[in-house]
Amino acid sequence: QVHLEEFGGGSTQAGGSLSLSCVVSRYTFNRLCVGWFRQVPGKEREGVTSINTRDGSTYYTDSVKGRFTISQDNAKNTVYLQMDSLKPEDTAMYYCAAVSSWDGGYCNTIPNNYSRWGQGTQVTVSS
């Protein structure tokens, strides 16, 4: 089964940047929807962005458009999340997740649609 491991995260001030990596193993990398999700205590897990590794199609939730960039490196079986112009409201535990992709096109970011999850990494943005 797909195994996911996140790297990166940490703390920064508002306006700063952080990057996250999600290393995928035990599955054919270019046949996946990979999403980044975030959650703060007491709130539901929120879909942030996704990429279809079959064709690179991406999706972003409105709150991160123009600030976050998702990308893939097929040679490293890795999906990246570059986060720029960070805001305090971006503070959360960030998770990558994956599900099989059967076709090209954008992948949704509904948490229940994703079957495999990483352990999460904390992102903290101070004002």
Side-chain angles (χ1 to χ4, degrees):
Q1 290 186 343
V2 178
H3 180 73
L4 307 172
E5 189 168 11
E6 298 115 334
F7 298 91
S11 300
T12 188
Q13 293 186 329
S17 298
L18 289 171
S19 61
L20 305 179
S21 302
C22 177
V23 180
V24 180
S25 59
R26 306 177 192 169
Y27 199 83
T28 304
F29 180 74
N30 63 352
R31 297 179 182 177
L32 291 170
C33 285
V34 178
W36 284 99
F37 300 79
R38 62 189 181 187
Q39 190 170 23
V40 297
K43 292 191 176 181
E44 293 186 353
R45 192 164 293 187
E46 173 192 20
V48 176
T49 180
S50 67
I51 190 165
N52 188 333
T53 61
R54 282 185 174 269
D55 62 2
S57 296
T58 59
Y59 169 83
Y60 298 90
T61 193
D62 285 345
S63 62
V64 306
K65 283 181 181 176
R67 300 189 299 120
F68 289 14
T69 304
I70 190 171
S71 62
Q72 66 187 84
D73 185 333
N74 291 356
K76 296 182 178 180
N77 286 4
T78 300
V79 171
Y80 301 99
L81 179 62
Q82 178 64 37
M83 303 181 291
D84 299 319
S85 302
L86 282 161
K87 303 175 181 180
E89 51 263 43
D90 294 318
T91 295
M93 184 71 78
Y94 282 72
Y95 300 88
C96 70
V99 65
S100 297
S101 170
W102 304 106
D103 202 352
Y106 85 93
C107 304
N108 68 57
T109 52
I110 301 171
N112 285 346
N113 287 354
Y114 286 74
S115 54
R116 304 298 294 179
W117 291 80
Q119 79 282 1
T121 185
Q122 179 68 35
V123 169
T124 302
V125 184
S126 57
S127 57

